[in-house]
Amino acid sequence: MYLYLAAWIWICAPLAEANDGMPDVRYRSREISLDGRLDDWIGVSGLQLAPGVSGVRSVGEFGPNDLKIEFRAMWDEEGLYLAIDWEDDEWDVKQVRRGEAIFIDSAGRRRNRMHVFDNLMVRIKELNYDYTLWVSPRAKEQGPFYWQKLVTGNKALESATYVPVIVPQESGTRVSLEIMLRWEQIGLSQKRLGKRGLPIRLLVSDSDSPLENLENKVGKSGRLEWRGRVPLRP
C-alpha cells in the first residue's frame, strides 16, 4: 500500500510515564482528518517507546538518537484511531509480504524478517481472538508497507479483513502515521472491550544497516516492546 504526503507537523502532548503504562484511550471528541498530520492529536495523552524508558522492553543495543516513537489512540462507534510519531536516525524500509516474513538462516534457525527492517507491530490478543498489523514507515520514497492477520474462535480460524486506512507524512528522520481500524474490520466492538479494556502489544523493530545482507542484519537490529490492557473511556 503506497500513500504519500510530503510534510511534517511536530506535536507536543503528555506522555505516559514509566510503570503507569498507556493512559486510558478516550472517545474521539474532535474531528480527525486522517491526512497523516498530527495537529488533530494535540493534547491527547500517549505512550513513548524509546530505549531506557521504564516499562519498555529492549532487545539489542541502541545509541542515544537511534529510535523514538510516540503512540496515541482514540476511539468512536466506527473504530480505533492510532497516531504514530516516529523518529529514527537511519531508515531501513523494505516491503516484506506476510508469506515471506519467516526465513531460515544458515544455521537452520527460524528468523523474522519483520525484525530486521524498520517496522511497527500492533497486536490485539485475547482468548479466541488475535489481530496483528505490521506496518512500515514512509521513508526514502519507500512505503508504507503493511500486512495484517485476524484469527478468531476456539479453532483459531483465519477471518477476512478489510484494507486499513494508513496515511503517512515524511520529513527526513521523522515520520508520522495515522491509522484507522474499523471495528468490523478487526472483528471487535467497543462494547466488548469497554469493561475489560484493549489487550494490546506494541513492538517496533529498528535497523540501521540498510546495506547489509539479511543474516548480518539480524545481529545489528534492535526491538522495543510494550504490552498492557488499556481501558476505553468516554
Side-chain angles (χ1 to χ4, degrees):
M1 179 179 184
Y2 302 85
L3 294 168
Y4 175 65
L5 295 168
W8 173 263
I9 294 180
W10 179 251
I11 66 173
C12 295
L15 296 174
E17 284 296 330
N19 302 321
D20 292 335
M22 184 184 291
D24 300 345
V25 175
R26 296 288 177 174
Y27 184 83
R28 182 182 62 82
S29 58
R30 64 186 74 182
E31 290 296 322
I32 299 177
S33 301
L34 291 176
D35 57 4
R37 301 174 184 270
L38 301 186
D39 49 339
D40 296 338
W41 294 81
I42 292 175
V44 177
S45 297
L47 175 75
Q48 184 180 96
L49 279 74
V53 173
S54 179
V56 175
R57 177 175 174 263
S58 177
V59 176
E61 296 184 2
F62 290 89
N65 300 310
D66 270 356
L67 177 67
K68 182 176 72 173
I69 282 189
E70 295 172 5
F71 185 92
R72 295 172 170 84
M74 288 189 280
W75 70 276
D76 65 11
E77 289 80 6
E78 292 189 44
L80 186 66
Y81 302 81
L82 309 176
I84 294 98
D85 221 346
W86 198 335
E87 185 174 0
D88 195 326
D89 62 349
E90 177 67 54
W91 294 112
D92 187 1
V93 176
K94 180 179 179 180
Q95 183 174 20
V96 179
R97 293 180 171 85
R98 178 179 155 187
E100 303 169 342
I102 302 301
F103 72 97
I104 308 299
D105 67 15
S106 58
R109 293 170 294 193
R110 288 168 58 88
R111 300 288 191 180
N112 192 333
R113 274 191 176 88
M114 308 308 294
H115 291 171
V116 297
F117 296 98
D118 294 332
N119 287 296
L120 170 69
M121 183 191 77
V122 178
R123 188 173 186 182
I124 305 170
K125 187 177 187 298
E126 60 181 0
L127 182 64
N128 298 330
Y129 178 89
D130 190 353
Y131 172 76
T132 302
L133 171 69
W134 279 100
V135 60
S136 80
R138 166 78 191 184
K140 297 182 178 180
E141 300 183 357
Q142 298 286 324
F145 305 112
Y146 81 91
W147 59 263
Q148 59 184 341
K149 180 180 179 181
L150 174 60
V151 175
T152 59
N154 55 14
K155 294 185 179 180
L157 299 177
E158 187 164 348
S159 302
T161 55
Y162 300 79
V163 175
V165 177
I166 303 174
V167 187
Q169 294 272 5
E170 174 192 7
S171 179
T173 61
R174 289 177 175 169
V175 168
S176 64
L177 292 171
E178 280 188 303
I179 300 173
M180 180 188 180
L181 302 175
R182 296 185 180 275
W183 296 123
E184 59 180 344
Q185 169 199 340
I186 60 176
L188 285 176
S189 71
Q190 70 275 21
K191 291 182 180 180
R192 174 179 174 179
L193 295 170
K195 293 182 179 180
R196 299 196 307 275
L198 187 71
I200 191 167
R201 176 187 174 197
L202 304 174
L203 184 149
V204 56
S205 54
D206 178 53
S207 170
D208 291 335
S209 51
L211 301 180
E212 295 281 358
N213 65 46
L214 197 60
E215 291 209 22
N216 288 342
K217 289 164 72 73
V218 171
K220 298 181 178 181
S221 301
R223 298 191 300 279
L224 300 173
E225 180 180 357
W226 180 91
R227 62 177 72 197
R229 187 173 288 272
V230 183
L232 302 184
R233 302 297 190 192

